[in-house]
Amino acid sequence: MSLDPAAAVELGAVRVVGTGLLGASVGLGLSASGARVLLADVSPTALALARDLGAGTPDPSEGAGEPVGLVVVATPPDVTAAVVLEELKAHPDAVVTDVASVKAGVLEALRAAGADLTNYVGSHPMAGRERSGAVAARGDLFLGRPWVLSPVEGDDPAALATVRRLALALGAVPVVMPAAEHDEAVALVSHVPQVAASLVAARLRHAPDAAIALAGQGLRDVTRVAGSDPALWAQILAANAGPVGAVLTRLRDDLDRVLEALAALAGESPEAGSSAPGQAVGARGAVARVVADGNLGRERIPGKHGGVPARYAVVTVVIPDEPGALGRVFADIAAAGTNVEEVALEHAPGRAVGLLEVSVLPAAREHLQEALSAYGWHVVA
Amino acid sequence: MSLDPAAAVELGAVRVVGTGLLGASVGLGLSASGARVLLADVSPTALALARDLGAGTPDPSEGAGEPVGLVVVATPPDVTAAVVLEELKAHPDAVVTDVASVKAGVLEALRAAGADLTNYVGSHPMAGRERSGAVAARGDLFLGRPWVLSPVEGDDPAALATVRRLALALGAVPVVMPAAEHDEAVALVSHVPQVAASLVAARLRHAPDAAIALAGQGLRDVTRVAGSDPALWAQILAANAGPVGAVLTRLRDDLDRVLEALAALAGESPEAGSSAPGQAVGARGAVARVVADGNLGRERIPGKHGGVPARYAVVTVVIPDEPGALGRVFADIAAAGTNVEEVALEHAPGRAVGLLEVSVLPAAREHLQEALSAYGWHVVA
């Protein structure tokens, strides 16, 4: 895994339009590999910032001079189609791609405008951060992430090869997928989870402090992405309104079944030692089914390295809150000769302590526990 | 932070009824501190397992012999009230508590049965694992976690003091909160997030493999708790049906607004370069509002040490997938003298690489970046 400078150089000069998080990251990555990157942005300030960060050189030609082999449109999603259209006209010999996170709408708009799409390949790098703008950009933002390529029927195959080279140059994993299929996929794995996280987090706005103080790791995980930028997400969700609406409608149907079951259960009279009366048995079943269905869906999500979730053994260590404690425990893990597959640090509300969960291959578990205990760590049995 | 053996010994003999995850963990923690723990379970097999794990001694008296000062009822939630009732009768001189995750229903059932509640204090340790049963038990399961105490009006103050001592003996943080208030709080911070995670994960059951392959850390975070036990959660949600239903109903109202907005947006015709027409402007606003409300709610969730979320600086390091790499980087972080506040390891689908995000105090960021670069690590700029 690495940036691929050979692929970057083969690209020739690359024009990047839009120097926010994604555009600036493309520029940083390609520049680091020695490619010539020409930057454009409607905002002179944003352009200057991206240049100062090392993302490339402001395009001196603006459509009338230095030839480019590839144009990467990395503008906000609501103007992507219009900018792609301009770039296709201004650079008839270049391949044009965009990095908008929704693909079918861009394509539809380009077709509606009657554009010649021979040299256009839509794309979507599955990378992002909760922070936005060039200041958050990094040249290896795309390292190891899927980069979806959505070629158009009748494309020049060389155009697809060029955009694939872009993905490889930035260390990403190219995945070819038609635009409509991509949009349904991201609705499911990205856009709907975002909406769900926001809806759950929104419920906390006016909650009593004492309630919030009981929050644990589960709530933190469910709501982490709820920290995202509202303006950007309004654009993304608007652009993928059909597929997101379809998945959310099915989710609401499930939610309605849960609500119906909860209403039946709330009507039960409490009776010490009674088992549930007739109606509520079915209601309990409906609630259990949603959780069971969630188990099945959850098990399909790939773990490390994109494979099926590996069954690692977990070693849990108590970490005192003092300088270097985490460093020392990992030094001791290294000294024990154990390879760490995953780590998670769980903090305890109200207490100066963390629990570090170290995932290792099952065969290594016992050895690591013994070694860490011998080094004086409190290993949770 | 630690178990408190002095508090454990002051408790005298403790009877634990129900030797699943929570009961066995109570037994392990108290036994480790030198307290005498008497175990009871309707299943002789479960009882023998808990004993073999070191959680305590099977109760030889079963209500007719050795006096106990405290009874901890840790049965499944649907029989909690009945068992508390039995224990109050069998041990009139002992304090009785339960650890069920919903409190008002138990109390109501006890009152309906006309029980004398002078010696009863409901409680709820905010600890759990995705795994269940005594095999997953650990004596420090409660370390640093809030342990809610819900005393009943007219309680003997000494009863509350006893249950508080139990929490302290196990290293937990006692929090006094009336039963109804507790139930509303956990609906918000635990039960509704669980339902939302399950609903999102359930949508993935029949998704195409190619779609699932695009999953990133966001989806993994949102759905992590969706791996939980359906039977247990059906009981928990059933027991807290009123408060959970109330929060979920408000969530559905928000969801309906999102769906309405998405329907309006899906009806827009794509038009290159057009800005949104009239109706859709309001729809975009509605979508943005949900994400913005989520921002506000998310910001209220406490971070490390239960305080407001600290603004740490993040140093991101590329970790090759080879034995000891993570150990070496933490050894180098320790050598740099930097205290680590949080860590997160992000794996790249399809690639043998991880990105380690190390959170440090802002003032320490630059030093750590320079030090790690000097040690030869690829620090993401």
Side-chain angles (χ1 to χ4, degrees):
Chain A
M1 89 78 224
S2 59
L3 301 184
D4 183 343
V9 169
E10 277 178 46
L11 286 171
V14 177
R15 174 172 155 91
V16 176
V17 185
T19 57
L21 171 66
L22 293 180
S25 293
V26 167
L28 284 167
L30 293 179
S31 298
S33 293
R36 175 152 174 82
V37 178
L38 303 170
L39 301 172
D41 198 297
V42 289
S43 156
T45 314
L47 185 60
L49 174 62
R51 179 200 57 206
D52 293 350
L53 291 169
T57 313
D59 194 343
S61 57
E62 272 296 349
E66 190 168 1
V68 296
L70 173 64
V71 179
V72 179
V73 175
T75 59
D78 57 353
V79 298
T80 297
V83 175
V84 168
L85 207 54
E86 285 169 20
E87 295 296 323
L88 283 169
K89 282 180 193 151
H91 303 276
D93 297 329
V95 172
V96 177
T97 189
D98 71 292
V99 299
S101 49
V102 181
K103 304 269 50 104
V106 173
L107 188 57
E108 226 177 309
L110 292 173
R111 282 193 172 132
D116 173 2
L117 300 180
T118 315
N119 289 332
Y120 169 74
V121 176
S123 79
H124 178 209
M126 302 293 298
R129 317 191 66 184
E130 278 145 63
R131 287 154 282 177
S132 61
V135 286
R138 46 194 228 198
D140 38 17
L141 185 67
F142 310 105
L143 269 185
R145 312 304 291 261
W147 189 312
V148 177
L149 312 178
S150 300
V152 182
E153 215 176 320
D155 263 353
D156 181 355
L160 179 61
T162 297
V163 183
R164 183 191 294 271
R165 200 171 291 128
L166 169 71
L168 292 173
L170 294 165
V173 182
V175 177
V176 175
M177 195 181 279
E181 192 182 315
H182 163 274
D183 289 359
E184 287 175 12
V186 293
L188 202 57
V189 303
S190 169
H191 303 174
V192 164
Q194 172 67 49
V195 173
S198 296
L199 290 171
V200 171
R203 292 289 104 229
L204 304 173
R205 270 173 310 157
H206 307 300
D209 289 342
I212 302 265
L214 299 185
Q217 194 57 39
L219 182 67
R220 278 194 283 272
D221 285 347
V222 170
T223 60
R224 186 181 61 81
V225 297
S228 304
D229 178 24
L232 176 64
W233 272 94
Q235 285 190 33
I236 292 173
L237 295 171
N240 205 21
V244 173
V247 178
L248 278 180
T249 299
R250 289 192 290 273
L251 188 151
R252 187 188 52 181
D253 291 344
D254 287 351
L255 174 56
D256 281 341
R257 270 187 289 275
V258 172
L259 281 169
E260 199 179 310
L262 291 174
L265 290 161
E268 277 190 287
S269 65
E271 211 181 308
S274 78
S275 51
Q279 185 194 16
V281 172
R284 269 194 180 73
V287 172
R289 177 185 303 273
V290 164
V291 181
D293 284 351
N295 285 178
L296 295 175
R298 169 70 188 167
E299 280 166 14
R300 296 199 58 206
I301 303 174
K304 190 180 179 187
H305 300 176
V308 292
R311 301 299 178 187
Y312 297 121
V314 174
V315 174
T316 305
V317 189
V318 176
I319 307 292
D321 185 40
E322 52 188 45
L326 210 51
R328 287 199 308 281
V329 77
F330 277 102
D332 289 345
I333 292 170
T338 306
N339 193 20
V340 174
E341 303 291 340
E342 307 274 359
V343 291
L345 184 63
E346 188 177 347
H347 282 294
R351 284 283 178 119
V353 64
L355 290 177
L356 181 72
E357 295 202 333
V358 180
S359 300
V360 297
L361 292 178
R365 179 171 182 237
E366 204 171 325
H367 166 70
L368 181 60
Q369 287 181 322
E370 287 173 7
L372 288 178
S373 294
Y375 285 127
W377 295 97
H378 179 173
V379 177
V380 177
Chain B
M1 89 79 221
S2 59
L3 301 183
D4 184 342
V9 169
E10 276 178 47
L11 285 171
V14 177
R15 174 172 154 91
V16 176
V17 184
T19 56
L21 171 67
L22 294 180
S25 293
V26 167
L28 284 167
L30 293 179
S31 297
S33 293
R36 176 154 173 79
V37 178
L38 302 170
L39 301 171
D41 198 296
V42 289
S43 156
T45 314
L47 184 60
L49 174 63
R51 178 200 58 206
D52 293 350
L53 291 169
T57 312
D59 195 342
S61 58
E62 273 296 349
E66 189 167 359
V68 297
L70 172 64
V71 178
V72 180
V73 174
T75 59
D78 56 353
V79 298
T80 297
V83 175
V84 167
L85 207 53
E86 285 167 21
E87 296 295 322
L88 284 169
K89 282 179 192 153
H91 303 275
D93 297 329
V95 172
V96 177
T97 188
D98 71 291
V99 298
S101 49
V102 182
K103 304 269 50 99
V106 174
L107 189 56
E108 225 177 307
L110 292 173
R111 282 190 172 133
D116 173 2
L117 300 180
T118 316
N119 289 331
Y120 169 73
V121 177
S123 79
H124 178 209
M126 302 293 298
R129 317 190 66 184
E130 278 147 61
R131 286 154 282 178
S132 61
V135 286
R138 44 195 230 198
D140 38 17
L141 184 67
F142 311 104
L143 269 185
R145 312 304 291 262
W147 189 313
V148 177
L149 312 177
S150 300
V152 182
E153 214 176 321
D155 263 354
D156 181 356
L160 179 60
T162 297
V163 183
R164 183 191 294 272
R165 199 171 293 129
L166 170 70
L168 293 173
L170 293 165
V173 182
V175 178
V176 175
M177 193 181 278
E181 192 182 313
H182 163 273
D183 290 358
E184 286 174 12
V186 292
L188 202 57
V189 304
S190 167
H191 302 173
V192 163
Q194 171 68 48
V195 172
S198 295
L199 290 171
V200 171
R203 292 290 104 228
L204 304 173
R205 269 174 309 156
H206 306 301
D209 288 342
I212 303 265
L214 299 184
Q217 194 58 38
L219 182 67
R220 277 194 283 274
D221 285 347
V222 170
T223 61
R224 186 180 62 81
V225 296
S228 303
D229 178 24
L232 176 65
W233 272 95
Q235 286 190 35
I236 293 172
L237 296 170
N240 206 20
V244 173
V247 178
L248 278 180
T249 299
R250 290 192 290 272
L251 187 150
R252 187 187 52 183
D253 291 345
D254 287 350
L255 173 56
D256 281 342
R257 271 188 288 276
V258 172
L259 280 169
E260 201 180 310
L262 290 175
L265 290 160
E268 277 189 287
S269 64
E271 210 181 309
S274 78
S275 51
Q279 183 193 17
V281 171
R284 268 193 182 71
V287 172
R289 176 184 303 272
V290 165
V291 181
D293 284 351
N295 286 177
L296 295 174
R298 169 71 188 167
E299 279 165 15
R300 296 198 59 205
I301 302 175
K304 191 179 178 186
H305 300 178
V308 291
R311 302 298 178 187
Y312 297 121
V314 173
V315 175
T316 304
V317 189
V318 176
I319 307 293
D321 184 42
E322 52 190 44
L326 208 51
R328 287 200 308 279
V329 77
F330 278 102
D332 289 345
I333 291 170
T338 306
N339 193 19
V340 174
E341 303 292 339
E342 306 273 359
V343 290
L345 183 62
E346 187 177 347
H347 282 295
R351 284 285 177 120
V353 64
L355 291 176
L356 181 73
E357 294 203 334
V358 181
S359 299
V360 298
L361 291 177
R365 179 170 182 238
E366 204 172 326
H367 166 70
L368 181 59
Q369 287 181 322
E370 287 172 5
L372 288 179
S373 295
Y375 285 128
W377 294 97
H378 179 174
V379 177
V380 178

